[in-house]
Amino acid sequence: MGLLDGRVAIVTGAGRGLGRAHALTLASTGAAVVVNDYGAGMGGERDGESPAAGVVEEISAAGGMAVADSSSVADWAACGRLVELAVDKFGRLDAVVNNAGIARDHMLTSSTEQDFDDTIAVHLKGTYAMCHHASRYWRDQAKNGEAVSGRLVNTTSGAAMFGNVGQTAYASAKAGIIALTQTLAMEMQRYAVTVNAISPVALTRMTKDLMTSAADGGFDPLDPVNASGLVAYLASAESGWLTGQVFRIEGSRIVRMREWSPIADYASRSGGAVTADELVSGMAHLYGVAPRGVTTVNR
């Protein structure tokens, strides 16, 4: 018995790289999979290929169940039809893995409005749209008295948490996905739907110019499949206790990330609003560095 036996999942951007690895792993663990891939080049332009069909063939050859879809997740209505496809083809929907993305890396001063719009459309709007349509499906199920164990797995990035030169639009979109994940987790908890995010470190088309693999015939810490075990777990009924979380996958390690939390504070000496003049010395207190002439630190 596989962990995902009887469950149905949609994986976006599943024709290559991380999405392909997720789709194959979910299928090998028992899930029926809707393999979505627009068939686009790195920048989001359609390249005439149909990688989703190839992944479906791999799954079918291994005895699994899958169907291909070539919709763009930037198309709101198409995301709704993806949910309908899963239900029509396999009778239900249990999980959505939002993985689709494009790369439009530029320094902010060299980027265009279109670069920003396209990046937000695929990464943030696409994730939002899939979450919206899947959540409505599960909400309606719950209101009809049906058992629900919906799972949303979103994809963020280290650029969202730590920043990265040349990725202002991408980092903004991925940071938005973290906020979406945490907020939607609160909203959908009443319907037994969990929402979590992963930040995989992997060598794919989108990262090939940023990293190189050091694997020498053994374990490859940058293999996209390294993140897929966590994705399968988060897509399972067993993960129902876990929501609103962000995980980073680094080779053989899964790292639990912590949300924003206060680490220091400065209170106005007057008891009123903090003034700009106070912060000439007061700001240093927030960072534990006392400026010249200050011998006490306000904790």
Side-chain angles (χ1 to χ4, degrees), residues 263-267 279 281-290 297-299:
I263 57 175
D265 70 278
Y266 172 82
L279 290 176
S281 61
M283 188 60 73
H285 291 299
L286 288 175
Y287 290 90
V289 180
V297 176
N298 178 0
R299 297 294 185 187

Side-chain angles (χ1 to χ4, degrees), residues 192-249:
V193 174
T194 67
V195 193
N196 294 288
I198 63 167
S199 171
V201 180
L203 184 59
T204 66
R205 287 193 307 163
M206 287 183 61
T207 62
K208 64 183 177 61
D209 294 330
L210 304 174
M211 57 181 69
T212 55
S213 176
D216 187 20
F219 175 74
D220 183 357
L222 296 180
D223 191 330
V225 78
N226 297 337
S228 298
L230 175 60
V231 169
Y233 171 74
L234 293 175
S236 75
E238 297 296 324
S239 66
W241 62 279
L242 190 65
T243 194
Q245 303 300 302
V246 178
F247 298 95
R248 189 157 172 83
I249 303 97

Side-chain angles (χ1 to χ4, degrees), residues 8-12 14 32-36 65-69 82 85-86 90:
V8 177
I10 296 169
V11 183
T12 69
V33 184
V34 177
V35 180
N36 161 264
M65 295 185 294
V67 62
D69 176 86
L82 256 177
L85 174 62
F90 301 117

Side-chain angles (χ1 to χ4, degrees), residues 28-203:
S28 71
T29 316
V33 184
V34 177
V35 180
N36 161 264
D37 199 289
Y38 183 62
M42 285 283 291
E45 68 286 352
R46 200 146 206 171
D47 57 15
E49 296 186 25
S50 301
V55 176
V56 168
E57 289 178 5
E58 290 185 75
I59 292 172
S60 299
M65 295 185 294
V67 62
D69 176 86
S70 59
S71 302
S72 168
V73 295
D75 182 332
W76 182 270
C79 290
R81 290 193 294 271
L82 256 177
V83 172
E84 293 173 359
L85 174 62
V87 176
D88 291 344
K89 183 71 176 178
F90 301 117
R92 57 187 294 120
L93 175 65
D94 300 285
V96 175
V97 181
N98 285 304
N99 169 79
I102 63 172
R104 291 284 181 87
D105 293 351
H106 298 288
M107 301 294 282
L108 179 61
T109 50
S110 300
S111 65
T112 67
E113 181 180 12
Q114 196 64 52
D115 290 332
F116 179 82
D117 288 348
D118 290 346
T119 301
I120 294 296
V122 175
H123 288 279
L124 185 54
K125 180 186 174 183
T127 299
Y128 188 97
M130 285 305 310
C131 286
H132 167 83
H133 290 291
S135 293
R136 285 178 63 91
Y137 167 76
W138 290 318
R139 182 202 62 182
D140 292 346
Q141 275 194 316
K143 287 187 173 182
N144 288 333
E146 300 177 49
V148 175
S149 63
R151 304 288 181 260
L152 291 164
V153 184
N154 299 328
T155 306
T156 184
S157 168
M161 296 178 278
F162 315 120
N164 195 38
V165 173
Q167 293 191 314
T168 50
Y170 175 80
S172 299
K174 290 301 193 183
I177 288 172
I178 294 177
L180 166 62
T181 297
Q182 294 175 326
T183 304
L184 187 57
M186 298 174 188
E187 294 183 0
M188 293 303 293
Q189 192 166 16
R190 73 188 71 180
Y191 302 119
V193 174
T194 67
V195 193
N196 294 288
I198 63 167
S199 171
V201 180
L203 184 59

